[in-house]
Amino acid sequence: MASFIARSTLQASRAAARAPYSKTWATSNTTRAFTTSWTHSKQTTTTSQPTSTSSPSTGVSDEKSVASEPQTGFYGGFLRSLAKVTGHYTVSQTAMRSTHRFYEICADQLNHKRTFWLDTCGLPDNFQTWFSITHLHVWLLMVRIRAEDHGKVFQQQLVNHFFHDIEDRMRYNHKISSGRIISTYMHDFLAQFHGGVLAYDEGMCKDDPIMAAALWRNLFTSSGTPDQIAILVDYVRKELQTLDTMSSDDFLEARELFGTEAGPLRGVPGK
């Protein structure tokens, strides 16, 4: 009996001693963990507080920029590589894009200066007049393009835009559906184009009477008064001089020529 009481007392003592120890250990460790976490948080907040106070949005924008930089760099590099593989930066493709803007300016001359062409110069309002006026301004740009690197490529692309537009206008604006008729007209316009370029080149290199004769044959179609022809000779000389004074960078990046600003890229005329 005595030994049982002694054993029970010993177990009770051990349990009493063990309980306060485990509670104290848990409490002290929990307190230390909370204190350490709170202290670390306070130090971090205190350290970053001046930066957030001086520019509150800096942290967010920096995070976004850092996150977006790899994507922009990757996708930008991928697109540039893809463009190089597909020939986007070749001379012919670059010339095609650049001369499209030039051609839009040439093709809009009749609509932009109707009073000058129809009233002052006395030209009729028809498709042949539009072709002749556009042809004249295409030639003016061809003269300037000859001085640039890869000038032949740029000239060819400018002429391609011209004749593609001629065919589209006949098909969609004037509702000509016969391929045979369109082919006949295209051959006629091509012959007029080559003859006009040779005549204008000769007039540019020689004197005003030669230029007047070229304009009389190609633009006025053997009509027009001497005063009207003289006005056109002065117009051509002034535009040639203006183009000649432009630097290469200003010319190739120009969005306004002949007093006409290039409009937005358009698709098939009349659609």
Side-chain angles (χ1 to χ4, degrees), residues 55-168:
S55 57
S57 61
T58 302
V60 178
S61 61
D62 288 346
E63 290 179 0
K64 289 183 179 180
S65 62
V66 171
S68 61
E69 281 178 0
Q71 297 179 1
T72 303
F74 172 77
Y75 288 111
F78 173 76
L79 292 176
R80 285 192 295 271
S81 300
L82 182 62
K84 290 180 180 179
V85 171
T86 56
H88 184 75
Y89 294 117
T90 59
V91 175
S92 61
Q93 291 296 320
T94 302
M96 184 181 299
R97 293 190 300 272
S98 300
T99 54
H100 188 280
R101 182 178 68 254
F102 288 165
Y103 175 71
E104 291 293 328
I105 294 176
C106 297
D108 196 42
Q109 289 304 301
L110 176 58
N111 291 330
H112 186 71
K113 304 174 183 175
R114 293 184 68 85
T115 302
F116 174 75
W117 295 110
L118 302 183
D119 297 338
T120 303
C121 298
L123 298 173
D125 187 8
N126 54 32
F127 190 84
Q128 178 63 48
T129 297
W130 170 84
F131 169 82
S132 300
I133 294 172
T134 306
H135 176 205
L136 175 62
H137 290 84
V138 167
W139 170 77
L140 288 170
L141 292 183
M142 288 174 60
V143 173
R144 180 61 181 81
I145 289 174
R146 291 169 188 169
E148 302 296 330
D149 294 336
H150 308 289
K152 290 184 178 180
V153 179
F154 279 74
Q155 287 186 78
Q156 185 60 55
Q157 291 298 341
L158 181 60
V159 175
N160 289 345
H161 288 307
F162 186 20
F163 280 89
H164 289 161
D165 192 21
I166 292 172
E167 182 176 355
D168 288 341

Side-chain angles (χ1 to χ4, degrees), residues 127 164-177 182 266-271:
F127 190 84
H164 289 161
D165 192 21
I166 292 172
E167 182 176 355
D168 288 341
R169 287 173 184 265
M170 286 192 293
R171 288 184 183 276
Y172 300 106
N173 290 14
H174 297 276
K175 310 301 180 183
I176 300 177
S177 57
I182 291 177
R266 60 182 175 86
V268 177
K271 296 190 71 177

Side-chain angles (χ1 to χ4, degrees), residues 102 105-106 109 113 134-148 158 204 234-260:
F102 288 165
I105 294 176
C106 297
Q109 289 304 301
K113 304 174 183 175
T134 306
H135 176 205
L136 175 62
H137 290 84
V138 167
W139 170 77
L140 288 170
L141 292 183
M142 288 174 60
V143 173
R144 180 61 181 81
I145 289 174
R146 291 169 188 169
E148 302 296 330
L158 181 60
M204 177 186 64
D234 289 340
Y235 174 83
V236 171
R237 295 295 186 190
K238 289 179 181 178
E239 293 298 341
L240 285 173
Q241 184 178 6
T242 301
L243 292 172
D244 185 58
T245 57
M246 297 179 67
S247 66
S248 295
D249 293 337
D250 292 340
F251 173 68
L252 295 177
E253 297 297 329
R255 294 197 58 83
E256 183 174 350
L257 296 168
F258 313 121
T260 304

